[in-house]
Structure formats: C-alpha cells, structure tokens
Amino acid sequence: MDQQRRTEENEQEAKQNDVVATAEESADTPVATSTRSGNRTQKEVMEWVKALAIAAILVLVIRYFLFAPFIVDGPSMEPNFYTGERLIVNKVIYDIREPKRGEVIVFHVPDEGRDFIKRVIGVPGDKVKYEGDNLYINGKKVDEPYLAESIANAKANGEIFNNEGTDRNFPNANFTTDVVPEGTVLAFGDNRRNSKDSRMIGFVSDKEIVGRADIIFWPAAKMSFVKHG
C-alpha cells in the first residue's frame, strides 16, 4: 500500500511539473515573438531611411550638377518659347564639348543678376554680320529655320521682322567688333524685335553659360525636346 501511494504521489508530482513547464513555455513564447517582430520592423525602417537618403542625394546631384529647371520669363524667345514655360537645362554638355550654332542656351548675366535664355548665333572665330533679317557668318548668308515663320509673317505685312532700328543689327554702335572672341559666344533672342541680347550686352562668356535647354516639360501639352538650329 505504501508503495502504491508513493507511486501515485510521484505521478501527481510529475503532472504538476509538466503543467509548470508548459506554463513557463507559454509565458516565454510571446516575448520571443515580440522581440523578433520588433527587430524586423526596426530593420525595415532603417532600409527605408537608407533608401530615402540615397534618393535625396541623387536628387541633389542631378539638380546641382547635371540638370536644372528654368522658367522662361519674357517675350525674347517667342514664338518658340513663351513666358511661364518650364525647361530642363543640361548643365554638363558644355563640359564635354563647346556650344554650337543654333543651340538654345541659358546663361547668367552678372549685371542683371539673373539668367537669360537665347540662341547661339556665333562661336569663337566666327565673323558675324546681322542686318535686317539677313544673317551672314564668315561672309556666307545663313538661313535661320527657327525664324522662318516670323520672317514670312512680317514680309506678308510688307515689313521686316527685325525692324526696330540700327542697334538691332550687328555689329552696331554698342559693339563694333564682328569677330567672336575665344571663350565666348554670340547669342540672340528669337524675337529679334524684342530681345535684350548680345547686340546690347555683348559676347557671352563660356564661364557664364549654365547649360543647354533640352526639354520643355511644362505645360504638359507642350512637353517636347527643344529643337536646336
């Protein structure tokens, strides 16, 4: 009898130990799961922070070193560009090569404290003469297809497109040198009747050129690549 009682007591004690162990395991499991979940969330947050930091750095690099936005202000490039249009300017192209005739560029004008948008007419070494609606480079008459419609409309009215006086020609009383110096370009606005450009401010230094206007991105209806020349 004593042996049977001891056996029963041992069985009960074993059952109690199993219950205690099960309770302890149940208490430990949520803590471990919660810890793993917290670590995973923390890692995800860190990955997002890294991704956003990389994106911000890329935006800064693109904005300040590769491309820049520009807003057209004023009528000097009509009818090809209008006030309020937004452009993307390629800031690196002229680190690779020199500007070419016909390209639309954005450059800084220190005396004005702002940027201008104009078209390259002459490059270093070019001898330029602009009289009326006729452009001569190195003694040869050069067509300007980007002005063709404006010139035709003026002729239809018995006028010339560039008709605002002798200071609209080049060279003129302001600038008598007709050869484009090294390290500069000659730049005119497409709206020759109403453009403050190299005929008034002189040759544009390469150091002041911001870049080439490459894309019209606003308004959306006019989104397109800029036509050069």
Side-chain angles (χ1 to χ4, degrees):
M1 292 293 292
D2 291 340
Q3 185 176 359
Q4 184 179 358
R5 187 167 56 252
R6 284 196 297 269
T7 301
E8 291 176 354
E9 290 175 353
N10 290 338
E11 289 177 355
Q12 290 177 356
E13 184 178 354
K15 290 180 180 179
Q16 289 175 353
N17 290 338
D18 289 342
V19 170
V20 171
T22 302
E24 289 177 349
E25 290 175 359
S26 299
D28 290 342
T29 301
V31 174
T33 302
S34 177
T35 301
R36 287 195 297 271
S37 177
N39 290 338
R40 185 164 57 250
T41 301
Q42 186 177 9
K43 288 180 180 179
E44 290 178 355
V45 170
M46 289 303 297
E47 289 299 321
W48 273 105
V49 170
K50 290 178 182 178
L52 291 173
I54 292 172
I57 291 172
L58 288 175
V59 168
L60 289 174
V61 169
I62 291 171
R63 170 64 178 83
Y64 290 100
F65 297 101
L66 302 180
F67 302 96
F70 177 81
I71 302 176
V72 178
D73 181 18
S76 71
M77 289 296 286
E78 293 179 4
N80 297 309
F81 302 90
Y82 288 88
T83 294
E85 292 181 349
R86 286 164 168 76
L87 314 175
I88 292 177
V89 177
N90 184 335
K91 298 176 68 174
V92 297
I93 188 169
Y94 297 136
D95 292 330
I96 301 170
R97 65 166 177 80
E98 300 298 320
K100 296 180 180 180
R101 296 189 205 104
E103 292 184 327
V104 178
I105 63 171
V106 172
F107 58 91
H108 187 64
V109 182
D111 291 343
E112 297 278 340
R114 60 193 180 101
D115 294 337
F116 280 14
I117 179 171
K118 308 294 176 185
R119 193 179 297 271
V120 176
I121 300 301
V123 297
D126 282 345
K127 183 174 182 178
V128 180
K129 179 180 179 182
Y130 184 59
E131 188 172 17
D133 290 334
N134 300 310
L135 175 64
Y136 301 88
I137 297 179
N138 300 321
K140 296 181 179 179
K141 190 175 185 299
V142 176
D143 291 330
E144 296 185 89
Y146 40 84
L147 297 185
E149 183 178 351
S150 298
I151 292 174
N153 289 338
K155 284 184 177 180
N157 293 325
E159 304 172 345
I160 61 173
F161 181 52
N162 179 39
N163 66 352
E164 294 296 324
T166 56
D167 66 336
R168 295 287 168 178
N169 294 330
F170 186 87
N172 54 40
N174 299 319
F175 299 97
T176 59
T177 302
D178 59 357
V179 177
V180 182
E182 288 297 323
T184 69
V185 297
L186 186 73
F188 294 167
D190 288 351
N191 186 358
R192 300 291 162 78
R193 291 179 175 181
N194 188 7
S195 173
K196 187 175 184 180
D197 49 41
S198 286
R199 294 170 293 175
M200 300 86 191
I201 66 174
F203 300 102
V204 178
S205 170
D206 289 347
K207 296 178 181 179
E208 301 297 343
I209 297 177
V210 177
R212 187 179 73 174
D214 274 353
I215 298 174
I216 301 173
F217 70 90
W218 188 263
K222 292 192 66 176
M223 186 179 294
S224 62
F225 290 102
V226 172
K227 295 179 180 179
H228 298 283

